Amino acid sequence: MTQVTKAKEGKITNSMELVAKKEGVNPEFIRKGIAEGTIVIPANNNHHNLKPRGFGKGLSTKVNANFGTSEDYPEIDKELKKLKVAVEAGADAVMDLSTGEKITETRRTIMAETEVPLGTVPIYQATVETLNTGKAIIDMTVEDLFRVIEEHAKDGVDFITVHCGLTLETIRHLRDEDRITDIVSRGGSFMTGWMLHNEQENPLYEYYDRLLEIAYKYDVTLSLGDGLRPGCLADATDRSQIHELLILGELVDRAREAEVQVMVEGPGHVPYDQIETNIKLQKELCKGAPFYVLGPLVTDIALGYDHIVSAIGGTMAASAGADFLCYVTPAEHIGLPSVEDVREGVMASKIAAHAADIAKGVSGAKKRDLEMAKARKTLDWQRQIELAIDPKKAKESREAHNQTLKDEETCTMCGSYCAMKVVDKAL
Amino acid sequence: MTQVTKAKEGKITNSMELVAKKEGVNPEFIRKGIAEGTIVIPANNNHHNLKPRGFGKGLSTKVNANFGTSEDYPEIDKELKKLKVAVEAGADAVMDLSTGEKITETRRTIMAETEVPLGTVPIYQATVETLNTGKAIIDMTVEDLFRVIEEHAKDGVDFITVHCGLTLETIRHLRDEDRITDIVSRGGSFMTGWMLHNEQENPLYEYYDRLLEIAYKYDVTLSLGDGLRPGCLADATDRSQIHELLILGELVDRAREAEVQVMVEGPGHVPYDQIETNIKLQKELCKGAPFYVLGPLVTDIALGYDHIVSAIGGTMAASAGADFLCYVTPAEHIGLPSVEDVREGVMASKIAAHAADIAKGVSGAKKRDLEMAKARKTLDWQRQIELAIDPKKAKESREAHNQTLKDEETCTMCGSYCAMKVVDKAL
């Protein structure tokens, strides 16, 4: 049984209560949102140490952090450290994207340590295991894929990215329209390679009912992946991207009928002036399903600064209605993020989510800003540091920038010409 | 004689030619913009080593970097280093905000090294010099202030911030409405203290014609400062801010009549959803005068990350029509920025300006992004680094993140599961 079933029966679950309390809203608001599909609480029945979070309409914007082992960095410890840092920095959910050795062991270790919703992309494991047996991606069987999905569900994964909307018809649009970067989604690329070689429809689309059965059994939230998300500004909002979104809209309907929680993933690289349209289109086509965006990135050229690029796009997206931001680290397009990259990535996305929550009028969002403004006015540095989004960084930076300061109240920016002081005397 | 006089006479100056070439537009477009007041080229007749830049409608969004000595850090060398780094990082203009010892010597040294337009805030020097003679700010005479303004103009300063719109009536609104942070503009605070104590109108408003005469003589561009810009989200778009903007609109008219180049400064701390309104209101009230924004900052709580906060607000502002972004460094609200802070601040603002230029359709803005996308598709790392907004950082980061990589074509993010490679084989 899923939260949807209960919500439709009029029941308020413990998870709904906890989410309502965290968000400062009425539990009935959460129940109604889940019943209607505008809110999800990714909470697998087998994720026992979970502190549930809600994602969707009327709730604060959430942030996800990705990590996971890879062939070049197979160590689990390092990824656990990233998990810790991400959650400390305020990540509301994490995704384990491991493709290194021992994927199952890694996932189970991470699951045991994770109190926030945990997501995965099962096709990564299905692909890597196929390759590890000496075969090619295209040799993966439908059974291989569903076996991994069921394993993830059974292990307690709260949400899974499944690229169900990438059909042969979508690929036809892709080939027709001549993209610059074709496909940049890893899952999308595996699926496309498989489909074209085997001349078969996407099994996640063809056997979607089977996927829904697994999701229903464990209450796994489906995160419908956008395999054809644009990988550069020039490819944004093209026919293949929007065709996939049409299919995702259909699949949202079917998930709701099956009482399975569902959200939709979105772009990607998108020019700033196209972001609002993308969000509103998704909300219409997918009938208000929670929207999980990967960026959006508003320029392709800022190698090393993509956390900033993503914060710019993420604020626009979330203020236009996106509910969930996947972080982007300064290492994006360069390599696997370090622990410090993870921290910086989460912080940038948290800033975007917070700025957007103020813009879209999320209840209570402005409160901390008002407190900070008051602390600034009274030159109360201790309080400013406490209220800062990253108190540790604020404290260190304050100390580093004010070593020569004679007056503890002000700062080296203005010294004794502090506007606050001058005005206080004048008014 | 100013550029405006020449533009109105139908003459295309050498500066107009150079700006047109740099922007990829017709020189006549620049001439017309200057004649109508929608474009300025801050180029003091005495700034001999200047490479002129244009600011305004139809041109790329520009970025300013502030620096300058202070009582705690009086060394000129350090500030020269910041100037160098800012311009290398792409700053289109710089402002010398020195308040340390030897302000005149500092300005002249910086002027000799500066090929981009240089701005100052003369009231800083007038105030500091008054204080240095043992008197209080309120003892500054009107003559003291105008003597410093004339000195800056004569020295070749290209644009000066003058808080002319802060009148006794504006202060009445401020006192009526009960702000949280009152006045956060240093110039605004000096002026307010002086006006209230002396029970006199703002001399920059009262003797505005005298200011126009000086500006005309050297072709100094007036940057009409917003002394009452909001210092926190709660104070944004209030009556005192907008009252000052009304006065600035009147002063734009008078500057245009006097054939003096003029731009208008704007907020400040502004919630994301109020930025577009602020920009459109300024453009209407000030009849299309170029708009120079200080941020805007979309949250008050991100101490240590205000360059990101400002990039978020700056992109929105510039895409809505702002022409010129004042950078904000990670040290904002903490202390005087270091050289590294200056770099990070300029980069964040350059990203915002670039993303906005793409959004507002500035000619050629997308070109480099398209080249980057192509380099990404072919896994041409050398070319990606060349095209990056910060090639040095891109190169260092690529090296740091890929030490264990076996395959030089890909990166540690996906290793051999690179979507680009998989898809290339498939399609």
Side-chain angles (χ1 to χ4, degrees):
Chain A
M1 237 208 230
T2 65
Q3 306 263 342
V4 184
T5 308
K6 291 167 197 158
K8 282 189 172 173
E9 289 170 355
K11 284 182 196 149
I12 290 172
T13 63
N14 188 37
S15 294
M16 294 179 207
E17 289 274 11
L18 290 168
V19 167
K21 200 175 164 192
K22 199 166 169 65
E23 300 281 338
V25 298
N26 198 296
E28 173 56 21
F29 177 81
I30 303 291
R31 187 205 61 76
K32 195 162 171 279
I34 290 176
E36 291 171 354
T38 58
I39 290 176
V40 294
I41 300 181
N44 187 310
N45 298 329
N46 289 345
H47 189 177
H48 303 296
N49 56 339
L50 177 71
K51 292 182 177 158
R53 312 276 175 123
F55 302 71
K57 195 176 172 188
L59 308 185
S60 61
T61 305
K62 304 298 184 300
V63 168
N64 174 74
N66 293 330
F67 52 87
T69 62
S70 62
E71 45 179 350
D72 294 303
Y73 295 102
E75 309 89 349
I76 298 179
D77 283 0
K78 213 163 182 174
E79 301 312 303
L80 282 177
K81 171 89 182 149
K82 288 181 194 170
L83 163 66
K84 192 165 168 279
V85 162
V87 173
E88 271 173 11
D92 303 288
V94 292
M95 290 189 80
D96 167 22
L97 306 185
S98 291
T99 56
E101 294 160 15
K102 304 178 193 164
I103 297 181
T104 298
E105 187 190 326
T106 305
R107 182 178 58 257
R108 289 177 184 163
T109 308
I110 287 170
M111 174 64 69
E113 300 284 331
T114 307
E115 294 185 340
V116 297
L118 176 72
T120 59
V121 190
I123 199 173
Y124 290 178
Q125 180 169 1
T127 305
V128 171
E129 287 183 353
T130 303
L131 291 167
N132 286 350
T133 60
K135 288 189 273 184
I137 294 174
I138 49 176
D139 298 321
M140 178 185 70
T141 66
V142 174
E143 285 312 311
D144 289 338
L145 181 54
F146 275 94
R147 186 183 33 76
V148 172
I149 291 172
E150 177 111 31
E151 188 186 288
H152 283 225
K154 207 172 169 183
D155 279 354
V157 170
D158 302 296
F159 60 103
I160 53 172
T161 294
V162 273
H163 302 87
C164 308
L166 175 56
T167 63
L168 288 169
E169 174 67 5
T170 322
I171 296 173
R172 185 186 70 74
H173 282 291
L174 174 72
R175 296 185 113 161
D176 263 16
E177 215 180 354
D178 225 10
R179 276 190 166 186
I180 304 295
T181 56
D182 293 322
I183 301 179
V184 295
S185 152
R186 254 195 298 180
S189 76
F190 296 158
M191 215 67 256
T192 303
W194 189 93
M195 288 158 70
L196 290 177
H197 184 267
N198 295 297
E199 294 177 3
Q200 255 191 275
E201 190 48 279
N202 179 349
L204 294 171
Y205 178 75
E206 200 170 354
Y207 308 109
Y208 186 60
D209 285 334
R210 188 171 168 185
L211 188 62
L212 290 174
E213 268 173 48
I214 299 171
Y216 187 85
K217 186 172 167 192
Y218 300 94
D219 201 358
V220 172
T221 298
L222 297 186
S223 187
L224 298 176
D226 54 335
L228 288 189
R229 68 169 177 271
C232 65
L233 299 189
D235 292 345
T237 327
D238 69 354
R239 291 195 294 270
S240 47
Q241 181 201 327
I242 304 305
H243 183 267
E244 186 179 25
L245 185 61
L246 295 179
I247 307 291
L248 296 183
E250 290 176 20
L251 299 176
V252 165
D253 281 355
R254 288 173 60 190
R256 286 178 178 175
E257 273 164 43
E259 300 185 346
V260 163
Q261 298 196 85
V262 64
M263 57 185 168
V264 174
E265 296 184 15
H269 292 239
V270 184
Y272 191 65
D273 57 314
Q274 292 177 25
I275 293 176
E276 191 177 355
T277 303
N278 269 270
I279 306 298
K280 304 225 152 146
L281 187 63
Q282 183 276 350
K283 286 282 176 178
E284 284 304 317
L285 292 176
C286 301
K287 298 178 187 163
F291 201 15
Y292 176 21
V293 291
L294 315 177
L297 294 167
V298 296
T299 171
D300 303 330
I301 65 168
L303 218 57
Y305 298 92
D306 276 325
H307 59 312
I308 297 178
V309 175
S310 173
I312 294 170
T315 307
M316 174 54 103
S319 71
D323 307 284
F324 188 19
L325 305 177
C326 187
Y327 88 160
V328 169
T329 80
E332 185 74 20
H333 300 112
I334 293 176
L336 205 70
S338 66
V339 171
E340 195 42 37
D341 291 327
V342 167
R343 244 186 94 70
E344 292 288 312
V346 172
M347 281 298 169
S349 289
K350 288 296 284 184
I351 290 167
H354 178 68
D357 283 349
I358 291 169
K360 62 183 172 184
V362 169
S363 129
K366 280 182 182 174
K367 199 172 164 283
R368 195 159 153 197
D369 293 75
L370 185 60
E371 291 306 309
M372 177 65 92
K374 288 177 182 168
R376 244 172 217 157
K377 178 64 183 168
T378 55
L379 299 169
D380 183 343
W381 286 93
Q382 189 50 44
R383 183 84 182 121
Q384 285 180 56
I385 287 165
E386 281 166 24
L387 287 164
I389 198 163
D390 184 351
K392 188 169 165 283
K393 180 156 192 158
K395 186 169 187 288
E396 286 168 4
S397 185
R398 164 90 182 144
E399 283 161 8
H401 284 88
N402 293 282
Q403 289 167 355
T404 62
L405 196 68
K406 289 144 205 157
D407 170 3
E408 282 205 357
E409 274 201 325
T410 60
C411 79
T412 47
M413 188 104 176
C414 302
S416 57
Y417 312 122
C418 172
M420 297 295 189
K421 290 198 151 189
V422 172
V423 172
D424 255 1
K425 229 186 267 179
L427 281 181
Chain B
M1 237 209 229
T2 65
Q3 305 264 341
V4 184
T5 309
K6 290 168 196 157
K8 282 189 171 172
E9 289 169 355
K11 283 182 195 148
I12 289 171
T13 64
N14 188 36
S15 293
M16 295 178 207
E17 290 274 9
L18 290 168
V19 167
K21 200 175 165 194
K22 199 167 170 62
E23 300 281 339
V25 299
N26 199 296
E28 174 56 20
F29 176 81
I30 302 291
R31 188 205 61 76
K32 195 162 170 279
I34 290 176
E36 291 172 353
T38 58
I39 291 176
V40 295
I41 300 180
N44 187 310
N45 298 329
N46 288 346
H47 190 177
H48 303 297
N49 56 339
L50 177 70
K51 291 181 178 160
R53 312 276 174 122
F55 302 72
K57 194 177 174 187
L59 308 184
S60 61
T61 305
K62 304 299 185 299
V63 168
N64 175 75
N66 293 331
F67 52 87
T69 61
S70 62
E71 44 177 352
D72 295 302
Y73 295 101
E75 308 89 349
I76 298 178
D77 282 359
K78 211 163 182 172
E79 301 311 304
L80 283 176
K81 171 87 182 151
K82 289 182 194 170
L83 163 66
K84 193 166 168 277
V85 162
V87 173
E88 272 174 11
D92 303 288
V94 293
M95 290 188 81
D96 168 22
L97 305 185
S98 292
T99 56
E101 295 160 14
K102 304 177 191 163
I103 297 181
T104 299
E105 187 191 324
T106 305
R107 182 178 58 256
R108 288 176 184 163
T109 308
I110 287 170
M111 174 64 68
E113 299 285 330
T114 308
E115 294 185 340
V116 296
L118 177 72
T120 59
V121 189
I123 199 172
Y124 291 177
Q125 181 169 1
T127 305
V128 171
E129 287 182 353
T130 303
L131 291 169
N132 285 350
T133 60
K135 289 189 272 185
I137 294 175
I138 50 176
D139 299 321
M140 178 186 70
T141 66
V142 175
E143 284 313 309
D144 288 339
L145 182 54
F146 275 94
R147 186 182 34 75
V148 172
I149 291 173
E150 177 111 33
E151 188 186 288
H152 283 225
K154 206 172 170 182
D155 278 354
V157 171
D158 302 296
F159 61 103
I160 53 172
T161 293
V162 273
H163 302 86
C164 307
L166 174 56
T167 63
L168 289 168
E169 174 68 5
T170 322
I171 295 173
R172 186 185 71 72
H173 282 291
L174 174 71
R175 296 185 113 163
D176 264 16
E177 215 179 354
D178 225 10
R179 275 190 165 186
I180 304 295
T181 55
D182 293 321
I183 301 180
V184 296
S185 151
R186 254 195 298 182
S189 76
F190 296 158
M191 215 68 255
T192 302
W194 189 93
M195 288 159 69
L196 289 177
H197 184 266
N198 295 297
E199 293 176 3
Q200 254 190 275
E201 190 48 278
N202 178 347
L204 294 172
Y205 177 75
E206 200 170 355
Y207 308 109
Y208 187 61
D209 285 334
R210 187 170 170 187
L211 187 62
L212 291 174
E213 268 174 46
I214 298 171
Y216 186 85
K217 186 172 169 192
Y218 300 94
D219 200 359
V220 172
T221 298
L222 297 185
S223 188
L224 299 177
D226 55 335
L228 289 189
R229 68 171 175 269
C232 66
L233 298 190
D235 293 345
T237 328
D238 68 354
R239 291 195 293 269
S240 48
Q241 182 201 326
I242 304 306
H243 183 268
E244 186 179 27
L245 186 61
L246 295 178
I247 307 290
L248 296 182
E250 290 177 20
L251 299 176
V252 165
D253 281 356
R254 288 173 59 189
R256 285 177 178 176
E257 273 164 41
E259 300 185 347
V260 164
Q261 299 196 84
V262 65
M263 58 185 168
V264 174
E265 296 183 16
H269 291 239
V270 185
Y272 191 65
D273 57 314
Q274 292 177 26
I275 293 176
E276 191 177 354
T277 302
N278 268 271
I279 306 299
K280 303 225 153 146
L281 187 63
Q282 183 276 350
K283 286 281 177 178
E284 284 305 315
L285 292 176
C286 301
K287 297 178 187 162
F291 201 15
Y292 176 20
V293 291
L294 316 177
L297 294 168
V298 295
T299 171
D300 303 330
I301 66 168
L303 219 57
Y305 297 92
D306 275 327
H307 60 312
I308 297 178
V309 175
S310 173
I312 293 170
T315 308
M316 174 55 102
S319 71
D323 307 285
F324 188 20
L325 305 177
C326 187
Y327 87 159
V328 169
T329 79
E332 185 75 20
H333 300 111
I334 294 175
L336 205 70
S338 67
V339 171
E340 194 43 36
D341 291 327
V342 167
R343 244 187 93 71
E344 292 288 313
V346 172
M347 281 299 168
S349 289
K350 289 296 284 185
I351 290 167
H354 178 67
D357 283 349
I358 291 169
K360 63 183 172 184
V362 169
S363 128
K366 281 182 181 173
K367 200 172 163 283
R368 195 159 152 197
D369 293 76
L370 186 60
E371 291 307 308
M372 177 65 91
K374 288 177 183 168
R376 245 172 215 156
K377 178 65 184 167
T378 55
L379 300 168
D380 184 343
W381 286 93
Q382 189 51 43
R383 183 83 182 123
Q384 286 180 56
I385 287 165
E386 282 166 25
L387 287 164
I389 198 162
D390 184 353
K392 188 169 165 284
K393 180 157 193 158
K395 186 171 186 289
E396 286 168 5
S397 185
R398 164 90 182 144
E399 282 161 10
H401 283 87
N402 293 281
Q403 289 167 355
T404 62
L405 195 68
K406 289 144 206 158
D407 170 2
E408 283 205 356
E409 275 201 324
T410 61
C411 78
T412 46
M413 188 106 177
C414 303
S416 57
Y417 312 122
C418 171
M420 297 295 190
K421 290 199 150 187
V422 172
V423 172
D424 255 1
K425 230 187 264 179
L427 283 181

